[in-house]
Amino acid sequence: MRGFSMVSIWVFTFLLLLKISSCAGDSGVVNPCCYYPCQNSGVCVRFGTDRYECDCTRTGFYGENCTVPEFWSRVRLTLKPNTDVAHYILTHFHWFWDFVNNSFLRSTFMKLVLTVRSSLIPSPPTYNSKYGYLNWESYYNLTYYTRILPPVPEDCPLPMGTKGKPVLPDPKVLAERFFKRTKFRPDPQGASLMFAFMAQHFTHQFFRTDHEVGRGFTKGLGHGVDAGNIYGDKLMRQLQLRLHKDGKLKYQIVNGEMYPPTVAEVPVFMAYPEDFSPEKRLAIGHELFGLLPGLTMYSTIWLREHNRVCDILKAEHPTWDDEQLFQTTRLIIIGEIIRIIMEEYVQQLSGYLLSLKFDPTMLFEERFQYSNRIALEFSHLYHWHSLMPDSFLIDGDEIPYSQFLYNTSLFLHYGVEKLVDAFSRQPAGQIGGGRNSHESLLTVSERVIKESRTTRVRPFNEYRKKFNLKPYSSFEEFTDDEEMARGLQELYGDIDALEFYPGLLLEKARPTGIFGESMVEMGAPFSLKGLLANPICSPEYWKPSTFGGETGFNIVKTATLKKLVCLNTKWCPYVNFHVPRNEEEAKPRKPSTEL
């Protein structure tokens, strides 16, 4: 047995050396850029076989590896509080933020948040999954997701560069050991399932990976908030969903209420199980939104809101044709989406006491580019399946996943009002810290990990550096779960080899936070840049005439989640991205149209 073990060790060592040698090329020289030597966003350029240079242009640093701060960079680093201190200030001191929120300082702070966060996202785009260097294809070819960091060089000796083990851990093992829920852990920030379903419904308009072409490619050519999840991502689908009268979308009436039409009436592709008849398949903007009643609920609400706004515009502009009514209404809907996401959804997500404000005019005097490209890293980052509970509580009934998925009858049985009320009251799960994903959703996490390897996404710590965060020095620093730290060390061998997506999901959560530091500091720049870079937020678009006059403009500027729901339902349920905060909020509500 002992001799067999020694032979095994020698064989393993030989194979490892052989792999390293083959990865390093015939010369045996390792690509120096595989060591990620350039810091502070410096760009590594290889010369010959064993020499590199770091381009430190406009990084605020200089030196061989861009590590020496220039004068103003040194001043900024000295004065700037670290992210934990800044987060603490933004989530404490109610008396201070009450004063700020009711004064001119609210706009000042909001402008600072927007400019600081947005500046972290390169515009125009830089890399993609094929090119790790700047080139015209990366900029021009919209079928690619862009990349914040270039891929791991193909000729590195190890999967994540030069550190870690020669073989990355099995994604299924990672999911079972570190992602699988042991006991449901509610979000300590109080997010509701209404928030969770909005996260899915909202993001699927721009997270549309084209798996048939490749995992670094996207179907969504809009690369931002275009309401393609409501109107369809292609013109043909949009035309099929439209009524072609008064700017409206097609619909059916069930029990006196407006719902999406069936596929029997509107033959668009919807991803239902094969045994679903066309009469039971609802035809909506996104082909996957029949999966969950929560997604169908939001699609129905936006359908009703679109047609409601069309009626308002028709009354004000009787000479407008169907096309102008539709196109102007779509701009209003996009504006409503951005305002609700900015002022309520991101507000809930951040936990900040600063009241976030959607006011595009704040950036009109700034150097700001009104264009956006969706990054592959943002797509991976946003897989928040831990939000989903173990079962769903609706109108006194507990519904398991087996009865919840692809259940059009359930959606029509309860109706929009009861679903909104139920989802607004049920807590969503905590995302950070690991071990909080329902077992039925583990395959999605496995798929993300496989996709990140196929597209050679760089290690988690490299993204920490990119977003001005201190890289972790050990797994014990990374997580406060000792068993998890030991397990990750065993599987990865080095904290600098930890992958991007597992790093984001398993990082210790902030005290009373929905997730860890990295998710906030990396996710916020993507989100805010994407929202404010929308064309409707530009000086050319942000004016009454774009939205059909002051009436349409005011619909955008006064949009709220509550108005969205209650102006499109028979009675106004409890509707909030936050579960009830007190007994008064938790009381059943009487039918009401008051907003």
Side-chain angles (χ1 to χ4, degrees):
M1 179 68 74
R2 192 173 196 178
F4 177 77
S5 298
M6 288 301 296
V7 169
S8 299
I9 291 171
W10 279 110
V11 169
F12 175 80
T13 303
F14 173 76
L15 291 175
L16 176 58
L17 291 172
L18 184 64
K19 177 177 178 60
I20 292 176
S21 175
S22 63
C23 290
D26 294 337
S27 65
V29 177
V30 175
N31 178 351
C33 292
C34 291
Y35 292 95
Y36 312 124
C38 304
Q39 306 302 301
N40 299 301
S41 296
V43 178
C44 184
V45 182
R46 188 180 186 183
F47 291 88
T49 58
D50 59 354
R51 188 171 69 85
Y52 74 94
E53 289 183 9
C54 291
D55 184 350
C56 308
T57 305
R58 286 183 291 279
T59 63
F61 293 80
Y62 64 95
E64 183 180 0
N65 293 326
C66 308
T67 55
V68 183
E70 297 172 356
F71 175 76
W72 288 114
S73 296
R74 193 182 301 276
V75 172
R76 177 178 55 82
L77 292 171
T78 302
L79 298 177
K80 181 184 176 183
N82 67 41
T83 54
D84 282 334
V85 171
H87 185 81
Y88 184 86
I89 293 171
L90 284 162
T91 54
H92 291 76
F93 311 110
H94 283 267
W95 60 269
F96 173 74
W97 293 112
D98 286 344
F99 169 73
V100 168
N101 293 333
N102 292 287
S103 71
F104 72 94
L105 291 173
R106 180 190 178 196
S107 294
T108 302
F109 275 95
M110 189 65 206
K111 183 176 179 179
L112 180 64
V113 169
L114 291 175
T115 53
V116 170
R117 296 291 198 189
S118 299
S119 65
L120 293 170
I121 304 301
S123 186
T126 48
Y127 312 105
N128 63 28
S129 295
K130 182 176 181 180
Y131 298 103
Y133 50 89
L134 296 188
N135 64 91
W136 185 253
E137 185 74 6
S138 293
Y139 165 77
Y140 182 77
N141 193 338
L142 298 179
T143 61
Y144 279 103
Y145 284 119
T146 189
R147 298 279 286 264
I148 298 300
L149 287 179
V152 175
E154 290 184 322
D155 55 353
C156 292
L158 295 172
M160 303 308 287
T162 59
K163 293 185 179 181
K165 298 197 172 183
V167 178
L168 291 170
D170 185 338
K172 188 175 183 64
V173 171
L174 287 172
E176 287 287 336
R177 287 184 64 175
F178 306 122
F179 287 74
K180 185 176 180 180
R181 177 173 293 156
T182 51
K183 180 182 179 182
F184 177 72
R185 198 168 65 245
D187 167 30
Q189 287 180 204
S192 67
L193 288 188
M194 197 68 179
F195 170 89
F197 287 121
M198 175 60 91
Q200 289 180 289
H201 191 274
F202 166 69
T203 59
H204 276 69
Q205 65 190 300
F206 44 78
F207 293 151
R208 296 183 58 80
T209 302
D210 194 334
H211 294 283
E212 293 183 6
V213 178
R215 291 178 173 179
F217 292 83
T218 173
K219 299 177 184 177
L221 300 183
H223 282 270
V225 181
D226 60 2
N229 53 342
I230 301 170
Y231 304 109
D233 62 332
K234 298 290 188 296
L235 179 59
M236 181 57 69
R237 189 178 185 93
Q238 176 206 119
L239 293 174
Q240 289 176 293
L241 291 170
R242 285 173 59 178
L243 187 61
H244 299 287
K245 181 181 179 182
D246 298 334
K248 293 186 176 182
L249 296 171
K250 292 178 181 176
Y251 59 92
Q252 63 169 317
I253 300 296
V254 179
N255 298 325
E257 294 190 279
M258 183 184 296
Y259 287 94
T262 66
V263 171
E265 301 168 292
V266 182
V268 296
F269 171 71
M270 292 296 298
Y272 282 90
E274 291 184 2
D275 58 350
F276 262 64
S277 67
E279 291 75 17
K280 290 185 177 181
R281 304 184 185 203
L282 297 180
I284 49 188
H286 197 293
E287 67 272 13
L288 297 179
F289 281 0
L291 171 65
L292 298 171
L295 301 178
T296 313
M297 172 198 73
Y298 269 117
S299 296
T300 301
I301 293 170
W302 284 117
L303 162 68
R304 295 177 183 179
E305 177 65 1
H306 175 95
N307 287 351
R308 184 186 77 85
V309 173
C310 282
D311 286 335
I312 294 172
L313 291 181
K314 175 73 172 177
E316 290 213 339
H317 305 282
T319 62
W320 281 12
D321 61 10
D322 168 71
E323 188 69 16
Q324 189 165 5
L325 288 169
F326 171 81
Q327 297 296 350
T328 305
T329 297
R330 180 170 184 167
L331 290 177
I332 291 173
I333 296 299
I334 289 171
E336 289 189 76
I337 292 170
I338 294 175
R339 180 181 170 87
I340 291 170
I341 293 298
M342 176 76 78
E343 294 198 355
E344 297 182 71
Y345 175 92
V346 176
Q347 184 78 62
Q348 169 61 41
L349 199 58
S350 69
Y352 292 168
L353 297 179
L354 168 66
S355 293
L356 303 185
K357 183 179 182 180
F358 174 53
D359 180 5
T361 64
M362 290 187 295
L363 295 178
F364 284 178
E365 303 302 319
E366 300 292 323
R367 292 179 60 238
F368 190 80
Q369 294 187 330
Y370 292 94
S371 63
N372 189 58
R373 285 282 292 278
I374 298 300
L376 181 73
E377 296 98 336
F378 190 34
S379 175
H380 288 184
L381 174 152
Y382 230 116
H383 284 79
W384 295 347
H385 297 95
S386 301
L387 290 169
M388 290 292 105
D390 290 331
S391 59
F392 301 87
L393 309 175
I394 305 173
D395 198 29
D397 301 324
E398 183 173 0
I399 301 169
Y401 277 84
S402 59
Q403 298 175 29
F404 194 72
L405 303 180
Y406 293 113
N407 195 335
T408 306
S409 300
L410 180 149
F411 170 62
L412 295 173
H413 170 72
Y414 289 106
V416 171
E417 294 88 348
K418 287 185 178 180
L419 288 183
V420 168
D421 193 82
F423 295 152
S424 296
R425 295 175 186 276
Q426 186 170 355
Q430 186 180 40
I431 298 170
R435 296 199 173 107
N436 203 25
S437 291
H438 191 276
E439 60 181 352
S440 65
L441 300 172
L442 293 180
T443 54
V444 182
S445 296
E446 294 172 32
R447 197 157 59 239
V448 177
I449 295 171
K450 291 176 182 177
E451 182 175 303
S452 73
R453 294 176 183 179
T454 301
T455 52
R456 308 195 318 280
V457 175
R458 291 200 174 192
F460 176 63
N461 260 344
E462 291 303 305
Y463 284 95
R464 294 269 301 175
K465 297 175 189 176
K466 178 64 178 177
F467 286 89
N468 300 323
L469 302 172
K470 180 180 176 293
Y472 287 111
S473 59
S474 67
F475 286 107
E476 287 74 19
E477 183 186 13
F478 165 76
T479 175
D480 49 16
D481 183 326
E482 294 182 5
E483 191 279 329
M484 182 181 291
R486 287 194 300 271
L488 292 172
Q489 178 68 44
E490 168 198 335
L491 293 173
Y492 283 101
D494 194 302
I495 185 66
D496 286 331
L498 178 63
E499 295 171 275
F500 177 66
Y501 181 66
L504 287 166
L505 271 290
L506 303 181
E507 181 184 32
K508 59 180 179 289
R510 276 174 162 156
T512 69
I514 188 170
F515 34 48
E517 174 189 51
S518 300
M519 188 77 81
V520 176
E521 302 304 322
M522 296 181 195
F526 285 118
S527 298
L528 296 177
K529 174 65 166 65
L531 292 170
L532 270 298
N534 194 283
I536 72 160
C537 300
S538 69
E540 288 298 317
Y541 278 64
W542 189 252
K543 49 191 173 185
S545 56
T546 301
F547 307 98
E550 288 292 348
T551 299
F553 203 19
N554 283 329
I555 292 174
V556 173
K557 292 193 290 185
T558 62
T560 66
L561 179 66
K562 186 174 181 180
K563 288 179 70 173
L564 172 66
V565 170
C566 295
L567 289 174
N568 293 291
T569 50
K570 288 184 176 178
W571 54 276
C572 187
Y574 173 67
V575 50
N576 209 305
F577 290 141
H578 196 289
V579 295
R581 295 171 175 82
N582 51 55
E583 292 184 8
E584 186 61 31
E585 278 191 344
K587 288 180 181 178
R589 289 170 164 242
K590 295 180 180 179
S592 171
T593 57
E594 295 181 7
L595 298 179

